[in-house]
Amino acid sequence: MGKFLKDFRDFAMRGNVVDMAVGVIIGGAFGKIITSLVNDIIMPGIGVLTGGTNFTDYKFVIKDAVMNGEEIVTPEVVVSWGTFVQTIVDFVIIAFCIFLAIRVMQNLRRKKEAEEAAPAPAGPTTEELLTEIRDLLAKQNDEKK
């Protein structure tokens, strides 16, 4: 049992798993922001363009509700296509924002890799070093004479 717990701890503490957990948490919060953007800013404008109604109210009624006075005996059966379209708009906006974020990160990574990959300034060749040593030795010999 001890090996199992050690293996689990090693797995859970891996950098990729921790990064993924942080990504899921941030993604959930980001999803709420995008949902609010769509529901509270974009869809009301689309609703005005489509006649001033709430877009999520659009639906096809397949079977009407069965009522007994004010009591609903059987609820209506509907295809809520407006909600579906709104969910697609949410997805497209989230996908676009993620695309932009990934693109920015890739550009930053490329710049960093380009800086790291820049060749070091070329030093003197072996022949140049040997020539310089020869000249220094010759100069020292000339000074001793």
Side-chain angles (χ1 to χ4, degrees):
M1 189 66 157
K3 183 174 178 355
F4 176 79
L5 291 175
K6 181 183 178 302
D7 289 345
F8 177 73
R9 185 192 73 217
D10 292 344
F11 168 77
M13 299 315 281
R14 240 194 216 148
N16 292 342
V17 174
V18 173
D19 291 344
M20 184 178 70
V22 170
V24 167
I25 292 167
I26 291 174
F30 186 69
K32 289 180 182 179
I33 292 169
I34 296 301
T35 299
S36 175
L37 172 69
V38 171
N39 291 342
D40 302 331
I41 296 173
I42 295 173
M43 294 316 270
I46 292 175
V48 168
L49 294 174
T50 59
T53 59
N54 185 351
F55 200 69
T56 57
D57 291 338
Y58 290 126
K59 59 187 173 186
F60 292 120
V61 177
I62 297 173
K63 183 178 176 189
D64 288 326
V66 177
M67 304 288 286
N68 185 6
E70 291 292 317
E71 181 183 350
I72 299 174
V73 177
T74 306
E76 68 181 356
V77 178
V78 297
V79 174
S80 299
W81 66 270
T83 303
F84 178 69
V85 169
Q86 182 168 350
T87 303
I88 291 172
V89 170
D90 283 351
F91 171 77
V92 169
I93 292 171
I94 290 170
F96 183 71
C97 290
I98 291 172
F99 167 76
L100 290 177
I102 289 172
R103 187 168 180 161
V104 167
M105 289 187 320
Q106 286 175 339
N107 286 339
L108 291 174
R109 183 177 293 142
R110 283 187 199 127
K111 285 180 184 177
K112 183 178 178 184
E113 289 172 356
E115 290 172 0
E116 291 174 356
T125 64
T126 305
E127 291 175 358
E128 292 171 337
L129 287 174
L130 290 173
T131 303
E132 186 177 335
I133 292 170
R134 181 197 66 201
D135 293 344
L136 287 172
L137 289 172
K139 184 178 178 184
Q140 281 181 349
N141 284 338
D142 288 343
E143 288 175 0
K144 286 182 182 181
K145 290 182 185 178

